[in-house]
Each structure stands twice: as structure tokens, then as C-alpha cells.
Amino acid sequence: MKASTKTQPANPAVPDDCHMAALDNDKSRTDILNRLKRAEGQLRGIQRMIEENDSCLDIATQMAAVRKALDSTYVRMTMCFVEQQLQAKLSAETSAAPEVGAMLQDMETLLGKIR
């Protein structure tokens, strides 16, 4: 089989010279994947609710829950990325590691409040 040569359309919000690193922490990646699998299960449940003619209020409640779960997963992924990048940049300064860890937890808490 020939590999696809189709290129993804450019995202105008991201400069061409911007290259994001992937998450390289297996624990973080597993956590994020597990969160996504739970959200996927919630979405399947919502589909079933619609097929079974459940009330709109019940369906809306479940939609709000899955949206919150995805928002939370997004914040977690973002914080994992920030932590990974900071650790790479500050690896020489090991004395700052506990302070950076506490700061990142505070940032994640604050970001979680904007939902």
C-alpha cells in the first residue's frame, strides 16, 4: 500500500515555524488517554440516551458532564506539556524542582477554575 501524501491544511493560528513537542511522559500520556476513554464512554451513553428517547434535560446534563471532562483533560494535557518543557529547560537547576512542581499545581488549579 502506498502511504498517503496528503498534507494537513495549515492552521492560521499557529506560525509555520512553531513546532510543538509531543508528550514524552508515559504516565501523563496514559492518564490523558484514560480520561479520553472515559469521555468516549460518556459520549456513547449520550448516543444511547438519544436513541432511547430520554429527556432532553437528562441528555443535556450528560453533555455538560462530558464537556467538563474534556475541558479537564485539555487542562491536564496543557499542564503536562508545560511541566515537560520546564523540566527540560531547568534540568541543570535541580534545586528549583520542588518550587516549580508547586507552581505548576497552582497553575493547574487556577486554569481549572476558568471552566
Side-chain angles (χ1 to χ4, degrees):
M1 285 193 149
K2 184 177 177 182
S4 174
T5 57
K6 185 188 278 187
T7 59
Q8 293 292 329
N11 183 346
V14 179
D16 288 338
D17 62 345
C18 180
H19 301 285
M20 288 288 221
L23 288 176
D24 60 7
N25 181 307
D26 287 339
K27 183 179 175 187
S28 296
R29 192 171 33 248
T30 299
D31 176 50
I32 291 165
L33 285 171
N34 286 338
R35 289 169 181 251
L36 290 171
K37 288 174 185 176
R38 278 192 296 273
E40 181 181 29
Q42 286 177 294
L43 285 170
R44 277 198 221 105
I46 292 169
Q47 290 171 335
R48 183 184 42 73
M49 291 173 74
I50 292 169
E51 290 167 353
E52 295 174 356
N53 293 322
D54 285 10
S55 77
C56 289
L57 182 58
D58 290 344
I59 294 168
T61 299
Q62 292 305 310
M63 285 182 169
V66 76
R67 186 175 62 224
K68 184 172 182 175
L70 289 172
D71 287 346
S72 175
T73 302
Y74 178 81
V75 168
R76 184 72 200 123
M77 183 201 62
T78 301
M79 292 310 302
C80 289
F81 174 76
V82 169
E83 181 178 9
Q84 174 181 297
Q85 296 303 302
L86 281 173
Q87 285 176 347
K89 302 293 186 220
L90 300 174
S91 62
E93 294 186 36
T94 56
S95 63
E99 294 172 15
V100 169
M103 178 196 64
L104 290 172
Q105 286 178 335
D106 290 346
M107 285 175 58
E108 186 169 0
T109 300
L110 287 172
L111 285 172
K113 304 266 185 220
I114 62 173
R115 294 182 232 126

